[in-house]
Amino acid sequence: MNPLTVGLVAGLLGLAVGVFGMLAFRASERQRRELVVPDEFALPDGSAEVLSVIGRAYVIVDAIDGVLRASPSAFAYGLVRGHSLVHPELLELTGRVRRDGVIEERLLELPRGPLGGGSLVVEVRVASLGADYVLVLADDRTEMVRTEEMRNDFVANVSHELKTPVGAISLLAEALEDAAEDDRAVRRFAARMHKEAGRLAVLVQDIIELSRLTATNVVQEGQPVDINAVVSEAVDRNKLPAESKNIQVRVGGSAGSPVHGDPELLTTAFRNLIDNAIRYSPEGSRVGVGVRSRDGLACVSVTDQGPGISPEEQDRVFERFYRLDSARSRQTGGTGLGLSIVRHVVSNHGGEVTVWSQSGQGSTFTVRLPELEDAEPLPDDAGKVLTTAVTDGVIQQTQANAAGKEQ
């Protein structure tokens, strides 16, 4: 056989082997797909229609817990990986249902991903599907459970916080009754009762304001808000506590565009920020409030001359009922809710609040809120109501301090 014939035969053999290999590979792939994602798997009559509208994640497994069909949300929840149920708790439920034929329902807390980052609370219902299969239905209850835990925690904290002024008033009333003949003692106890009643009133007001946050839909019920007027009103509401400590509240700058939101909630947030600065500033000092527009954001910075906040506590100051110094909070009348209210209001308005602080150098809390796009600019004299009592030099100094401390 000549070399040309040998080469031709070898080429044909190679082509035949290649075609056979490709056909074998495709057949193997088709068989694997049929086994792994069995398009031919037939649900019992009516099951497909029910599963399509049920609104829950679902998984169908066979007699050895192999996944025959699963919804996209089941993969998103991390219930299924590859072609197996991930969590032993689910496998235990499917095995029990397969054995007993009784529907099982459980509320399970499961790790969300393979790295264990976070958890998922799901309400699971497991039932037989026909003679050979088991259906797992899962509904995400994570947010509901966490909200319930927060509410229970909040109620427990409120109950604890209310006990202190209520108990103090009760004891003072008894002491007042026993000292009815002593005018000096009556005046002293009456003054203490007045202070505790004021503390109780502030706590109740803060609780009411927190409840309003959950009842107000800022997106749907909001309106264009002049942030300059809001800050001016917040400063005005803090006149009495500032005067009682001989603290000057200096305001400078102005925002050029309105923000979208609830003016009363925003006023409450800035009132709490300024009130917090006044409470923790020494008598005869100054609180600075800087207002400006920057990169499409309305920025308001409140700077005090207080003791400052340590780095490890800066992330916690916005927690409900958290106090840097419980003894000092009792002296100042703080409830531990003011900064929590600020954070919730700002968050509901699509903004952020941050804190810069160093021990012995005071603190600066900065609120940033998105300004309305294509809104009519505020009039040039929008900030006049803020700065009429302040000289130009003081305004510039206040703004420089706020800008220098902002992080």
Side-chain angles (χ1 to χ4, degrees), residues 210 213 317-320 336-345:
L210 269 177
L213 292 179
V317 293
F318 297 103
E319 295 178 9
R320 293 175 178 178
L337 286 174
L339 292 178
S340 175
I341 291 172
V342 172
R343 183 188 63 180
H344 282 286
V345 170

Side-chain angles (χ1 to χ4, degrees), residues 208-237:
I208 292 172
E209 289 177 353
L210 269 177
S211 68
R212 283 190 61 220
L213 292 179
T214 59
T216 302
N217 190 322
V218 173
V219 175
Q220 295 181 359
E221 301 174 16
Q223 62 189 59
V225 178
D226 181 357
I227 207 69
N228 305 300
V230 165
V231 172
S232 179
E233 177 65 20
V235 170
D236 188 63
R237 294 186 187 184

Side-chain angles (χ1 to χ4, degrees), residues 38-264:
D39 292 334
E40 286 77 14
F41 165 67
L43 290 170
D45 292 341
S47 300
E49 290 77 5
V50 173
L51 291 174
S52 65
V53 299
I54 200 170
R56 290 189 180 187
Y58 68 85
V59 183
I60 301 173
V61 297
D62 58 18
I64 56 172
D65 286 325
V67 174
L68 298 174
R69 185 169 296 182
S71 64
S73 51
F75 288 94
Y77 291 165
L79 306 181
V80 177
R81 191 174 307 129
H83 309 289
S84 305
L85 284 176
V86 173
H87 306 289
E89 298 90 338
L90 296 179
L91 292 171
E92 180 183 350
L93 286 174
T94 57
R96 199 154 56 234
V97 168
R98 187 179 295 110
R99 182 184 66 244
D100 302 335
V102 179
I103 296 175
E104 295 272 355
E105 290 190 45
R106 292 287 186 277
L107 189 67
L108 302 175
E109 183 172 359
L110 306 172
R112 186 178 286 273
L115 301 179
S119 60
L120 181 77
V121 179
V122 290
E123 186 181 67
V124 176
R125 183 179 176 88
V126 184
S128 297
L129 186 65
D132 303 317
Y133 310 114
V134 174
L135 171 66
V136 179
L137 295 175
D139 198 14
D140 186 3
R141 299 289 183 177
T142 308
E143 193 62 32
M144 183 188 71
V145 170
R146 288 177 181 170
T147 300
E148 184 67 21
E149 290 175 351
M150 288 176 59
R151 182 169 60 187
N152 292 338
D153 184 55
F154 179 67
V155 170
N157 285 331
V158 167
S159 302
H160 175 73
E161 294 294 327
L162 288 174
K163 283 181 181 178
T164 303
V166 170
I169 290 173
S170 177
L171 291 174
L172 287 168
E174 291 179 9
L176 191 62
E177 185 178 10
D178 293 339
E181 305 300 327
D182 186 343
D183 291 343
R184 289 186 61 186
V186 167
R187 285 193 294 270
R188 185 171 71 252
F189 291 142
R192 289 288 305 277
M193 286 183 67
H194 180 72
K195 182 176 180 180
E196 292 297 334
R199 181 183 175 191
L200 183 60
V202 170
L203 179 58
V204 171
Q205 182 60 38
D206 282 349
I207 293 171
I208 292 172
E209 289 177 353
L210 269 177
S211 68
R212 283 190 61 220
L213 292 179
T214 59
T216 302
N217 190 322
V218 173
V219 175
Q220 295 181 359
E221 301 174 16
Q223 62 189 59
V225 178
D226 181 357
I227 207 69
N228 305 300
V230 165
V231 172
S232 179
E233 177 65 20
V235 170
D236 188 63
R237 294 186 187 184
N238 280 286
K239 275 186 177 180
L240 289 179
E243 290 174 356
S244 68
K245 295 184 66 174
N246 194 28
I247 290 177
Q248 296 181 352
V249 180
R250 301 293 181 90
V251 187
S254 63
S257 298
V259 302
H260 179 81
D262 184 301
E264 186 59 34

